[in-house]
């Protein structure tokens, strides 16, 4: 497999459930990201991992918990979500090089909180 | 906080017409990327511009980075229905920072 993959592609969960989103990158990159995409809003950066260490979380609510066990895998653990958390969750990876910071995105997980 | 303003937000034109999409900011970026996103999919990288004044061409698409590295434009010549999609510009401040995205331009090319 190539590029960035995400599972599941679609997820419906109740507000009391616990679920996890998974991302895997096959590009040999050293940084991974979680973004949230809601209707009528720009993509919002949630978490950044560079060399497997979290460097930014942008004041994301604690009901979202990231985990990066190695440079190829990234998880987003979800618990007691709210309906307004329904959105497309996108994972991205990049190879941080001097002056160039392209990020490559996975297909996303469409999350619906009921 | 860095912000990117894209215009227009929506654009619907006929096949064969030309169009320009703009991406503006009051902040300077180390680099700027353009992405295209189709419904239910993640954004796909089209181009990265790094140097002020840089122009890059990708078939019928021409990308320009402003001299001051605060703004960019995307020009499409002879648009085709396959160009339909959401076009996003995103700026990088450098390092492992996440990208700052504009809201995007929804482009529809009608046959």
């Amino acid at each position: 497999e190539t590029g960035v993959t995400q599972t599941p592609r679609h997820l419906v969960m109740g507000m009391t459930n616990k679920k996890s989103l998974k991302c895997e990158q096959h590009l040999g990159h050293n940084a991974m990201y979680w973004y949230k995409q809601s209707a009528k809003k720009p993509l919002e950066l949630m978490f950044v991992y560079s060399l497997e260490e979290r460097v930014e979380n942008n004041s994301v609510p604690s009901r979202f918990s990231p985990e990066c066990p190695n440079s190829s895998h990234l998880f987003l653990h979800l618990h007691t979500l709210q309906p307004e958390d329904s959105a497309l969750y996108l994972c991205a990876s990049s190879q941080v090089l001097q002056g160039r910071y392209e990020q490559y995105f996975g297909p996303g997980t469409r999350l619906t909180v009921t | 906080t860095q912000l990117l303003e894209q215009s227009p937000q929506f654009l619907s034109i006929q096949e064969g017409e030309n169009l320009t999409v703009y991406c503006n900011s009051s902040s300077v970026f180390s680099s700027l990327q353009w992405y295209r996103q189709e419904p239910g999919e993640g954004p796909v990288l089209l181009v990265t511009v790094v140097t002020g004044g840089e122009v890059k061409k990708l078939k019928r698409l021409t990308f320009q980075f402003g001299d001051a590295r605060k703004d960019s434009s995307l020009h499409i010549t002879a648009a085709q229905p396959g160009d339909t999609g959401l076009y996003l510009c995103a700026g990088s401040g450098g390092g492992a920072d996440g990208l700052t995205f504009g809201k995007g331009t929804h482009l529809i090319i009608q046959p």
Side-chain angles (χ1 to χ4, degrees):
Chain A
E1 249 184 305
T2 59
V4 181
T5 58
Q6 290 186 244
T7 55
R9 292 294 309 274
H10 301 273
L11 178 62
V12 179
M13 60 186 288
M15 289 191 284
T16 58
N17 290 160
K18 288 185 181 181
K19 295 286 184 184
S20 295
L21 309 185
K22 179 183 175 182
C23 175
E24 185 173 357
Q25 60 98 357
H26 309 268
L27 300 169
H29 289 167
N30 60 10
M32 297 186 76
Y33 310 80
W34 280 115
Y35 288 87
K36 176 184 178 182
Q37 188 174 32
S38 307
K40 300 183 182 179
K41 284 187 178 181
L43 268 79
E44 301 170 71
L45 176 66
M46 299 177 73
F47 300 104
V48 178
Y49 277 85
S50 179
L51 300 174
E52 300 164 40
E53 288 190 9
R54 190 162 78 188
V55 297
E56 185 170 351
N57 69 2
N58 279 307
S59 302
V60 176
S62 60
R63 56 186 183 267
F64 295 91
S65 175
E67 179 189 0
C68 186
N70 55 60
S71 60
S72 299
H73 294 87
L74 184 64
F75 295 89
L76 187 62
H77 303 299
L78 316 171
H79 64 97
T80 58
L81 294 191
Q82 304 298 310
E84 61 264 29
D85 296 323
S86 298
L88 183 67
Y89 288 85
L90 291 160
C91 172
S93 70
S94 70
Q95 179 65 21
V96 178
L97 296 172
Q98 187 70 22
R100 299 186 69 90
Y101 306 100
E102 295 100 338
Q103 293 183 14
Y104 294 84
F105 286 82
T109 294
R110 172 65 63 185
L111 173 66
T112 303
V113 181
T114 61
Chain B
T1 302
Q2 296 178 312
L3 292 174
L4 277 169
E5 299 288 339
Q6 281 190 247
S7 61
Q9 276 191 278
F10 297 93
L11 184 59
S12 179
I13 62 173
Q14 294 295 123
E15 180 177 1
E17 293 184 17
N18 302 331
L19 67 108
T20 302
V21 174
Y22 299 93
C23 177
N24 296 295
S25 175
S26 58
S27 303
V28 176
F29 291 100
S30 299
S31 66
L32 194 140
Q33 285 99 50
W34 283 92
Y35 292 82
R36 191 177 108 188
Q37 186 178 20
E38 299 196 21
E41 298 295 330
V44 175
L45 180 66
L46 296 175
V47 77
T48 298
V49 285
V50 178
T51 307
E54 184 176 2
V55 176
K56 282 193 173 179
K57 291 194 174 184
L58 186 65
K59 297 183 181 178
R60 294 175 293 100
L61 278 60
T62 302
F63 304 85
Q64 184 161 9
F65 202 12
D67 290 341
R69 304 203 331 267
K70 292 182 180 181
D71 54 84
S72 182
S73 64
L74 158 59
H75 182 79
I76 301 179
T77 303
Q80 298 178 3
D83 296 327
T84 293
L86 175 65
Y87 288 82
L88 297 161
C89 67
S92 172
D97 294 354
L99 297 175
T100 298
F101 277 85
K103 286 186 178 181
T105 294
H106 293 267
L107 177 63
I108 297 174
I109 309 300
Q110 300 181 29

